């Protein structure tokens, strides 16, 4: 209990808005915005300004010059925001509703992001992660996209790791290490109850397909660790790999037809893609580093992974025109993040619904990284080590 209370006291001080840094030259910065004259509920107005700072699509500035100006009225349960150009000419107005000040602000800023950039937004999301609470003990926690409202979800008094989201946003999955087994547990956030979704001995991380129908997972049997897939509710179990290599970290394609995973079948850990129906694996071309691990597949067909470049470092590949068939120039795929810039160190990236930002872990701290600009900000940090962060879909 003392460890749990220590963790909560340490995490409660975060995030800090000042903990925003830029690594590398990155690419062209964001459009600028001034928050000007939002009347009504002061709490909602303050959270709207905060969400604009944290959303990563606009840079909030002061003074008389900016690309956009945002004004309007905000209540606890509704808000109306008018977006004007830099000269002050109104362009459009968005409205939003919520059950409290924070949710109203999240919905309002996401409405601006959708109107201006055509994206689903980022403010109405949450992030799950594992945090150390004692020796050989980790629990699963939840926070808002800006690192606020940290909530402890499990109290298993054991190792609970590798959390991920069900695509419906109503449940999370995680691995629980027990004395005789390592079940993949589904925790229902709505009804506050858990069940063992997969019970095979030697079970490693599992992920549910974007369409919610299948689950991919790795099982250790004897000296082998192989990739399997089956229906979420059981049945149609299929073994996708059968070799002496170590397989790990399955990540589904956006159409739920393929799985990217890590294998050392040719010596060092590399990324491979295999059909969920079975077949011959294909090595992903164009990856950097002596090793490539922990893939994450975005909805717009980008692959984030950790490349061993001294330390593990975030890299992003554009798979458009490469999978299937590897038809890119000389079989290589295009790098999104500038490989010449000092990139962000970390492992286990997970994409936000905006297909631009990822959350990753490095040395016990969780960061949000902008893959277009190489900017990063601290999401969660403290004396207790945190890792395995996973970004939710839009939740409300």
């Amino acid at each position: 209990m003392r460890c749990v209370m220590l963790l909560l006291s340490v995490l409660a001080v975060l995030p800090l808005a000042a903990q925003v840094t830029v690594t590398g030259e990155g690419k062209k910065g964001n459009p600028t915005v001034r928050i000007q004259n939002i009347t009504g509920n002061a709490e909602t107005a303050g959270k709207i300004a905060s969400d604009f700072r944290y959303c990563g699509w606009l840079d909030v500035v002061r003074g008389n010059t900016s690309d956009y100006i945002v004004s309007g009225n905000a209540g606890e349960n509704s808000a109306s925001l008018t977006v004007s150009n830099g000269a002050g000419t109104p362009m459009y107005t968005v409205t939003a509703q919520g059950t409290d000040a924070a949710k109203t602000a999240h919905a309002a800023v996401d409405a601006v992001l959708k109107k201006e950039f055509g994206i689903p937004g980022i403010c109405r999301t949450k992030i799950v992660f594992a945090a150390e609470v004692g020796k050989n003990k980790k629990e699963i926690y939840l926070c808002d996209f800006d690192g606020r409202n940290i909530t402890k979800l499990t109290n298993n008094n054991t190792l609970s790791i590798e959390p991920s989201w069900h695509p419906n946003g109503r449940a999370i999955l995680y691995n629980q290490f027990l004395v005789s087994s390592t079940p993949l547990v589904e925790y229902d956030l709505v009804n506050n109850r858990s069940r063992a979704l997969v019970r095979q001995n030697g079970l490693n991380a599992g992920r549910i397909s974007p369409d919610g129908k299948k689950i991919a997972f790795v099982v250790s049997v004897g000296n082998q660790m192989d990739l399997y897939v089956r229906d979420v509710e059981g049945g149609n179990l299929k073994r996708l790999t059968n070799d002496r290599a170590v397989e790990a970290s399955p990540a589904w394609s956006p159409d739920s037809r393929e799985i990217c995973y890590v294998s050392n079948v040719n010596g060092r850990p590399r990324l491979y893609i295999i059909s969920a129906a079975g077949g011959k694996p294909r090595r992903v071309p164009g990856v950097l580093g002596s090793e490539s691990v922990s893939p994450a597949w975005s909805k717009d067909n980008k692959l984030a992974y950790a490349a061993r470049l001294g330390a593990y470092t975030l890299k992003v590949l554009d798979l458009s025109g490469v999978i299937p068939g590897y038809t890119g120039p000389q079989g290589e795929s295009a790098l999104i993040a500038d490989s010449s810039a000092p990139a962000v160190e970390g492992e286990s990236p997970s994409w936000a619904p905006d297909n631009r930002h990822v959350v990753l872990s490095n040395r016990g701290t969780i960061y949000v990284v902008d893959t277009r600009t190489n900017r990063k900000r601290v999401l969660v940090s403290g004396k207790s080590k945190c890792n395995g962060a996973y970004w939710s879909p839009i939740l409300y």
Side-chain angles (χ1 to χ4, degrees):
M1 177 62 71
R2 184 177 180 273
C3 291
V4 173
M5 295 305 295
L6 175 62
L7 174 68
L8 291 174
S9 65
V10 170
L11 296 182
V13 303
L14 292 166
L16 299 177
Q19 294 174 310
V20 180
T21 60
V22 179
T23 59
E25 296 179 0
K27 299 187 179 182
K28 186 176 180 180
N30 293 323
T32 56
V33 62
R34 283 181 288 156
I35 312 300
Q36 181 174 294
N37 194 31
I38 298 180
T39 61
N41 184 284
E43 182 182 4
T44 306
K47 290 184 181 297
I48 287 172
S50 176
D51 282 2
F52 274 115
R53 287 195 298 271
Y54 280 103
C55 74
W57 284 82
L58 295 157
D59 291 339
V60 178
V61 296
R62 296 179 179 179
N64 298 319
T65 304
S66 63
D67 297 309
Y68 301 102
I69 301 170
V70 173
S71 59
N73 180 269
E76 183 177 359
N77 303 118
S78 63
S80 175
L81 299 181
T82 297
V83 178
S84 304
N85 63 21
T89 303
M91 297 188 298
Y92 56 85
T93 297
V94 300
T95 59
Q97 288 78 41
T99 56
D100 56 37
K103 290 184 177 180
T104 299
H106 295 339
V109 175
D110 274 353
V112 172
L113 297 180
K114 183 176 181 180
K115 178 71 174 180
E116 189 61 38
F117 301 106
I119 62 167
I122 192 174
C123 303
R124 293 166 296 158
T125 61
K126 292 183 181 290
I127 295 165
V128 291
F129 60 94
E132 200 172 61
V133 297
K135 186 178 181 180
N136 297 322
K137 295 179 181 179
K138 287 187 175 183
E139 301 292 355
I140 306 300
Y141 286 78
L142 179 73
C143 70
D144 291 347
F145 87 106
D146 55 7
R148 293 184 170 89
N149 296 322
I150 294 173
T151 304
K152 185 166 178 268
L153 296 181
T154 65
N155 191 24
N156 295 326
N157 201 33
T158 182
L159 274 177
S160 301
I161 61 172
E162 297 288 338
S164 64
W165 286 88
H166 192 292
N168 65 15
R170 296 168 56 91
I172 63 166
L173 279 71
Y174 66 91
N175 277 99
Q176 183 179 5
F177 280 70
L178 303 176
V179 175
S180 59
S181 63
T182 57
L184 184 64
V185 178
E186 181 185 64
Y187 175 64
D188 184 334
L189 293 165
V190 177
N191 298 301
N192 192 28
R193 61 189 181 193
S194 300
R195 63 168 178 158
L197 191 62
V198 185
R199 292 181 178 272
Q200 273 89 346
N201 291 331
L203 182 67
N204 202 335
R207 298 287 186 264
I208 293 179
S209 59
D211 63 10
K213 296 179 180 180
K214 298 285 186 179
I215 183 168
F217 53 92
V218 174
V219 173
S220 176
V221 179
N223 295 324
Q224 294 187 210
M225 294 184 67
D226 287 311
L227 178 65
Y228 292 76
V229 66
R230 62 153 233 214
D231 295 343
V232 167
E233 298 300 332
N236 295 318
L237 179 67
K238 189 174 187 63
R239 187 175 192 166
L240 298 183
T241 64
N242 188 359
D243 51 43
R244 291 289 183 179
V246 174
E247 271 79 52
S249 306
W252 285 91
S253 64
D255 62 6
S256 300
R257 298 175 62 183
E258 296 183 299
I259 301 167
C260 182
Y261 65 98
V262 179
S263 176
N264 66 351
V265 66
N266 288 317
R268 288 183 174 271
R270 300 289 185 185
L271 302 184
Y272 293 82
I273 290 176
I274 191 170
S275 170
K280 185 178 179 180
R282 299 160 293 167
R283 181 170 164 177
V284 179
V287 296
L288 301 179
S290 59
E291 299 176 0
S292 48
V293 298
S294 57
W297 211 327
S298 70
K299 291 181 179 179
D300 64 349
N301 213 28
K302 297 193 298 287
L303 198 66
Y305 67 100
R308 188 69 178 268
L309 300 167
Y312 282 109
T313 304
L314 173 68
K315 291 296 175 183
V316 181
L317 291 170
D318 185 357
L319 297 182
S320 300
V322 178
I323 306 296
Y326 302 136
T327 58
Q330 299 178 348
E332 301 296 317
S333 50
L335 285 167
I336 298 298
D338 184 4
S339 61
S340 65
V344 178
E345 293 184 4
E347 299 181 67
S348 302
S350 171
W351 287 100
D354 64 1
N355 299 315
R356 171 174 175 172
H357 295 85
V358 299
V359 62
L360 55 74
S361 310
N362 185 42
R363 300 177 183 177
T365 297
I366 297 174
Y367 297 91
V368 171
V369 180
D370 186 335
T371 62
R372 292 188 185 177
T373 65
N374 286 325
R375 291 181 179 179
K376 70 175 181 179
R377 63 175 169 89
V378 173
L379 182 78
V380 178
S381 183
K383 294 181 181 179
S384 298
K385 294 181 179 179
C386 304
N387 56 28
Y390 203 97
W391 216 310
S392 80
I394 297 293
L395 294 179
Y396 56 87

